[in-house]
Amino acid sequence: MKISDLNKGVLCILVGSCFVLAAVFTESEVDGLLWGLAGGALGPGIGWIIKHFYWSAPKNKKRYSEIKEQEDISLHDELNEKLRDKSGRIAYNIIFFLICISEVTFSIIGKAGMIINHKTIVWYLFGLLIIQIAIDKVVYYQLRKKY
């Protein structure tokens, strides 16, 4: 394992801890955001540190090098690169279209006075992000089967 993974983990934990301290010692309307950022930094940080120590253990080094070799082969395979590019373009175009439709829809709903709480829009955009990731994976695997 690279030492940079450990460094990223430690940095994320430090940033997450700062957000936790800010959320604990302040009383403001952004406390929920601070807690969310804390969780968003602490989770991956702890994961990177655990991953680093797990794969750095002497009993796992050989298996890690085999996995890394397969990853490198798969990552640099020309067909996989083409398919990842194509699936990314297709996912981008679909989400771009959905966002355009969403802007018009939210404008109409907003003018009609039907949106009172902005959290609806935030959750909707979060859903779009998840949909984009899912579409990218599904399209990639479908293209992989085709070729």
Side-chain angles (χ1 to χ4, degrees):
M1 283 296 295
K2 296 178 184 175
I3 195 73
S4 65
D5 288 336
L6 181 63
N7 292 338
K8 285 188 283 189
V10 170
L11 181 65
C12 281
I13 287 179
L14 289 174
V15 169
S17 299
C18 290
F19 283 125
V20 167
L21 291 173
V24 168
F25 292 114
T26 61
E27 292 290 328
S28 70
E29 295 179 7
V30 295
D31 280 347
L33 176 64
L34 292 173
W35 283 110
L37 291 171
L42 288 172
I46 291 168
W48 273 323
I49 290 173
I50 290 171
K51 183 178 167 183
H52 174 78
F53 284 111
Y54 177 80
W55 288 115
S56 294
K59 65 179 183 176
N60 297 325
K61 281 188 177 185
K62 183 179 179 188
R63 196 172 79 178
Y64 177 74
S65 65
E66 291 169 359
I67 291 171
K68 195 69 175 159
E69 183 180 331
Q70 285 297 328
E71 247 179 39
D72 289 341
I73 290 170
S74 177
L75 187 62
H76 297 295
D77 181 37
E78 288 179 27
L79 176 60
N80 283 337
E81 284 182 21
K82 255 187 195 177
L83 296 178
R84 278 192 301 267
D85 289 345
K86 190 170 185 174
S87 66
R89 280 193 308 274
I90 291 170
Y92 170 79
N93 288 331
I94 291 170
I95 295 301
F96 183 77
F97 176 75
L98 288 175
I99 289 173
C100 291
I101 297 298
S102 300
E103 288 180 15
V104 172
T105 304
F106 282 127
S107 295
I108 293 169
I109 292 172
K111 289 292 182 184
M114 297 170 77
I115 294 180
I116 297 170
N117 191 349
H118 69 282
K119 290 181 182 179
T120 306
I121 296 171
V122 172
W123 281 109
Y124 176 78
L125 293 174
F126 176 75
L128 278 180
L129 176 65
I130 299 302
I131 289 169
Q132 182 173 8
I133 292 168
I135 288 171
D136 183 45
K137 298 297 179 198
V138 168
V139 170
Y140 174 76
Y141 288 116
Q142 291 299 321
L143 290 172
R144 185 76 182 140
K145 285 180 188 176
K146 183 178 177 181
Y147 296 105

Coordinates of all heavy atoms in Angstrom, one line a residue, residues 6 8 42 61 65 81-82 87 100 103 115 118 137 141:
L6 N -2.5 6.3 3.5 CA -2.5 6.6 4.9 C -2.6 8.1 5.2 O -3.3 8.5 6.1 CB -1.3 6.0 5.6 CG -1.1 6.1 7.1 CD1 -2.3 5.4 7.8 CD2 0.2 5.6 7.6
K8 N -3.8 10.4 3.2 CA -5.2 10.9 2.9 C -6.1 10.6 4.0 O -7.0 11.4 4.4 CB -5.7 10.2 1.6 CG -5.1 10.8 0.4 CD -5.8 10.3 -0.9 CE -5.3 8.9 -1.2 NZ -5.8 8.4 -2.5
L42 N -14.8 11.9 7.9 CA -14.4 10.8 8.8 C -14.6 9.4 8.3 O -13.7 8.6 8.4 CB -15.2 10.9 10.2 CG -14.8 12.1 11.1 CD1 -15.7 12.2 12.2 CD2 -13.4 12.0 11.5
K61 N 0.2 -9.1 1.7 CA 1.0 -8.4 0.7 C 1.0 -9.1 -0.7 O 0.8 -8.4 -1.7 CB 2.4 -8.2 1.1 CG 2.6 -7.0 2.1 CD 4.0 -6.7 2.3 CE 4.1 -5.5 3.3 NZ 5.5 -5.0 3.5
S65 N -0.7 -7.5 -4.1 CA 0.1 -7.3 -5.4 C -0.6 -8.0 -6.6 O -0.6 -7.5 -7.7 CB 1.5 -7.8 -5.2 OG 1.6 -9.2 -5.0
E81 N -11.2 1.0 -21.6 CA -11.1 2.4 -21.6 C -12.2 3.0 -22.5 O -12.9 4.0 -22.2 CB -9.7 2.9 -22.1 CG -8.7 2.8 -21.1 CD -7.3 3.2 -21.6 OE1 -7.3 4.0 -22.5 OE2 -6.3 2.8 -21.0
K82 N -12.4 2.4 -23.7 CA -13.4 2.8 -24.6 C -14.8 2.7 -24.0 O -15.6 3.7 -24.2 CB -13.3 2.0 -25.9 CG -12.7 2.6 -27.1 CD -12.9 1.7 -28.3 CE -12.0 2.1 -29.4 NZ -12.1 1.2 -30.6
S87 N -19.7 4.9 -21.8 CA -20.7 4.9 -20.7 C -20.8 6.2 -20.0 O -21.9 6.7 -19.7 CB -20.5 3.8 -19.8 OG -19.3 4.0 -19.0
C100 N -31.9 19.8 -17.3 CA -32.6 20.8 -18.1 C -34.1 20.7 -17.8 O -34.7 21.8 -17.6 CB -32.3 20.6 -19.6 SG -30.6 21.0 -20.0
E103 N -34.9 22.1 -14.3 CA -34.9 23.5 -14.1 C -36.2 24.1 -14.5 O -36.7 24.9 -13.8 CB -33.7 24.1 -15.0 CG -32.4 23.8 -14.4 CD -31.3 24.5 -15.3 OE1 -31.6 25.3 -16.1 OE2 -30.1 24.1 -15.1
I115 N -43.4 25.1 -4.0 CA -42.2 24.7 -3.3 C -42.1 25.7 -2.1 O -41.9 26.9 -2.3 CB -41.0 24.8 -4.1 CG1 -41.0 23.8 -5.2 CG2 -39.7 24.6 -3.3 CD1 -39.8 23.8 -6.2
H118 N -36.8 24.2 0.6 CA -35.7 24.0 -0.4 C -35.1 22.6 -0.3 O -34.4 22.2 -1.2 CB -34.7 25.1 -0.2 CG -33.9 24.9 1.1 ND1 -34.4 25.3 2.3 CD2 -32.7 24.4 1.4 CE1 -33.6 25.0 3.3 NE2 -32.5 24.5 2.7
K137 N -22.8 2.8 -14.4 CA -22.4 1.4 -14.2 C -23.2 0.5 -15.1 O -22.7 -0.4 -15.7 CB -22.6 1.1 -12.7 CG -21.8 1.8 -11.8 CD -20.3 1.6 -12.0 CE -19.5 2.4 -11.0 NZ -18.1 2.5 -11.4
Y141 N -21.7 -2.0 -18.0 CA -21.8 -3.4 -18.0 C -22.6 -3.9 -19.3 O -22.3 -5.0 -19.8 CB -22.4 -3.9 -16.7 CG -21.5 -3.8 -15.6 CD1 -21.7 -3.0 -14.5 CD2 -20.3 -4.5 -15.6 CE1 -20.8 -2.8 -13.5 CE2 -19.4 -4.4 -14.5 CZ -19.7 -3.6 -13.5 OH -18.8 -3.4 -12.4

